[in-house]
Amino acid sequence: MTEYKTINDLGDLNGKVVMLRADLNVPMDENFNVTNDARIVRTVPTIKKLMSAGAKVVVVSHFGRPEGKGDMKNSLSHIVKDLEKALGKHVVFVDDCIGEEVAAAVKNMKQDEILLLENLRFYNEEKKGDENFAKELVAPVDLYVSDAFSTAHRAHASMVAAAKLRPAAMGLLMEEEVNALTKGLNDPKRPLIAIVGGSKVSTKLDLLNNLVKKVDKLVISGGMAHTFMKANGIDTINENNSLVQMDMLDTAKEIMATAKANNCEIILPQDVVVSKEFKPMAEHKTVDLAEIPAEGWSLLDVGEKSIAAINGKIAECKTLVWNGPLGVFEMKPFDNATNKVAQYAAKLTEEGKLTTVAGGGDTVSALANAGVENKFSYISTAGGAFLEWMEGKELPGVVVLKK
């Protein structure tokens, strides 16, 4: 991590007030109970490191989409008890993120307390990247640390402008994320294989175009595979039985041509699971590509031949990067392919034969469904930022922390 500033670069922290930009945008039920505290828990090591060095920690975050005005639904006050539980420390909540009330709360902080400020997005200036807002934000603090990799693709005030106004560094989670993604895509052990799923080719064009120039093997799965299969001459696929995008066939051919020119092997399904209904445990059957019914049945997963082929390719590789499921994993039994491939990748990881890096909301859910969420080398907390990194884009919230 010599390229980026870390907490160790900030010098003596004793007595200093540190603003920690976290991502505490966690899911909640209708009664404001946190239903998944992973993002809270993953922020704890940075807070503890800062506190153990004698710093006072002021935590800021966005939550939901309040569009520049305060409302109880999007208040960070709802996560105080979960943050206290995760930290084992008293958390003082301030119902603003700038101004005199915040300044007074910082001044009155006890050494073993954490200060949690109200939702940054209660101010439109946050999303606009407003420098004056950033100045107000950092006014009561000495240093700035960012642990919000999942928001690093946004040039928001608390992500970029604030980092320029105080000595700034990456937190442990941000450092972990950037390290893992660098090892996964920028400097991997080869051969490198990527699995990319999703319903539409059009939503992942930048990603596919970048990956075919970087990876040795590319598994294209989910609904987007239908377009590639059609472009590859599988005439049994049509708009009645699949998610094929007829207007993207030429694009798919261009991506396959680019892959060939870059010695990237593309792996497409060899058989598919089709069903008459889009519901759990619906009637289904596995068919070869030449036998896909013209209508009345829909492609919801890939079959055992495809699973064996994908696992065979993974076995030849040293690094796997994964974004997107192989089928409709939310419904049994159409999670079969995703589960079996994920479990095989996890097994190789545990045996020390494969480095596995995954990210994106659906991917994280799919890996949890397969029971392997703790068995991959690294699972990113980020969605959009993970995708943009895979697309080869620079993330403003990371770039600003370069030495």
Side-chain angles (χ1 to χ4, degrees):
M1 291 298 295
T2 52
E3 191 182 349
Y4 300 98
K5 291 174 283 188
T6 66
I7 291 171
N8 295 333
D9 295 310
L10 293 177
D12 184 10
L13 299 179
N14 194 37
K16 298 286 176 65
V17 181
V18 180
M19 175 161 285
L20 176 65
R21 175 43 163 116
D23 179 1
L24 303 176
N25 189 23
V26 293
M28 281 188 192
D29 63 21
E30 62 278 5
N31 297 314
F32 306 121
N33 296 308
V34 175
T35 55
N36 185 333
D37 67 352
R39 283 183 169 166
I40 295 171
V41 169
R42 290 180 83 169
T43 304
V44 166
T46 298
I47 296 175
K48 286 188 170 176
K49 182 176 174 76
L50 293 169
M51 290 183 78
S52 67
K56 293 180 178 179
V57 182
V58 179
V59 181
V60 294
S61 177
H62 67 286
F63 184 83
R65 298 178 184 275
E67 304 305 332
K69 52 185 183 291
D71 60 67
M72 272 311 291
K73 187 180 87 164
N74 290 300
S75 173
L76 278 168
S77 61
H78 303 305
I79 72 151
V80 168
K81 64 180 186 295
D82 296 89
L83 185 57
E84 284 186 331
K85 182 183 171 188
L87 271 170
K89 298 281 185 186
H90 179 52
V91 175
V92 176
F93 180 73
V94 184
D95 62 4
D96 206 339
C97 59
I98 56 173
E100 292 177 9
E101 191 181 351
V102 174
V106 170
K107 192 176 179 182
N108 295 324
M109 272 182 88
K110 296 189 176 74
Q111 195 65 42
D112 60 344
E113 287 179 340
I114 304 294
L115 215 60
L116 175 65
L117 306 188
E118 186 55 283
N119 192 346
L120 293 162
R121 290 186 185 170
F122 282 179
Y123 289 88
N124 277 323
E125 290 87 346
E126 160 67 359
K127 289 174 82 171
K128 289 176 182 173
D130 187 272
E131 194 173 326
N132 289 323
F133 175 70
K135 282 177 183 172
E136 287 190 75
L137 198 60
V138 300
V141 308
D142 305 306
L143 306 165
Y144 171 95
V145 172
S146 179
D147 241 358
F149 178 80
S150 44
T151 316
H153 58 312
R154 313 272 188 218
H156 291 172
S158 66
M159 292 300 303
V160 177
K164 292 176 180 177
L165 295 169
R166 292 288 183 272
M170 289 183 166
L172 301 180
L173 178 57
M174 173 84 88
E175 194 179 339
E176 202 177 72
E177 292 265 11
V178 172
N179 257 334
L181 297 190
T182 299
K183 283 179 188 169
L185 204 58
N186 299 50
D187 187 24
K189 289 181 183 172
R190 291 188 180 270
L192 166 63
I193 186 169
I195 295 175
V196 178
S199 56
K200 294 180 178 179
V201 177
S202 52
T203 60
K204 294 199 174 174
L205 269 182
D206 289 346
L207 176 59
L208 293 168
N209 278 314
N210 186 46
L211 287 181
V212 292
K213 295 167 192 164
K214 286 196 169 183
V215 307
D216 302 297
K217 302 174 194 293
L218 174 61
V219 177
I220 298 177
S221 60
M224 67 166 61
H226 306 165
T227 301
F228 281 87
M229 292 157 76
K230 183 77 172 178
N232 214 26
I234 307 301
D235 295 329
T236 49
I237 286 179
N238 61 54
E239 290 173 291
N240 296 320
N241 63 15
S242 72
L243 292 176
V244 64
Q245 290 179 278
M246 299 300 287
D247 60 336
M248 298 298 292
L249 294 181
D250 287 342
T251 302
K253 287 175 184 174
E254 287 167 15
I255 291 170
M256 287 191 282
T258 304
K260 191 173 181 180
N262 285 275
N263 296 314
C264 168
E265 179 187 0
I266 288 186
I267 297 106
L268 295 172
Q270 297 181 11
D271 56 353
V272 293
V273 179
V274 295
S275 175
K276 284 188 171 181
E277 295 179 278
F278 191 81
K279 69 176 188 181
M281 305 314 294
E283 181 189 347
H284 62 279
K285 61 184 180 181
T286 302
V287 297
D288 286 335
L289 305 185
E291 297 162 5
I292 298 172
E295 55 186 313
W297 296 76
S298 298
L299 281 65
L300 298 186
D301 201 5
V302 297
E304 296 298 331
K305 284 184 188 174
S306 302
I307 294 167
I310 294 166
N311 284 348
K313 297 298 181 185
I314 290 173
E316 296 170 5
C317 295
K318 292 277 193 291
T319 307
L320 164 66
V321 179
W322 191 330
N323 176 256
L326 303 178
V328 185
F329 78 94
E330 300 93 340
M331 301 191 302
K332 293 191 178 304
F334 310 111
D335 59 349
N336 181 56
T338 303
N339 290 350
K340 284 186 175 172
V341 173
Q343 287 156 6
Y344 182 68
K347 175 177 171 287
L348 293 182
T349 305
E350 289 184 313
E351 291 171 359
K353 296 173 183 174
L354 187 70
T355 298
T356 42
V357 180
D362 279 352
T363 314
V364 175
S365 300
L367 297 182
N369 183 64
V372 300
E373 68 269 44
N374 298 317
K375 295 177 181 177
F376 269 44
S377 306
Y378 195 78
I379 295 181
S380 174
T381 57
F386 179 85
L387 266 180
E388 290 201 16
W389 184 286
M390 285 182 72
E391 288 166 3
K393 295 174 181 171
E394 285 201 320
L395 310 184
V398 174
V399 172
V400 74
L401 300 172
K402 280 188 175 180
K403 286 183 176 176

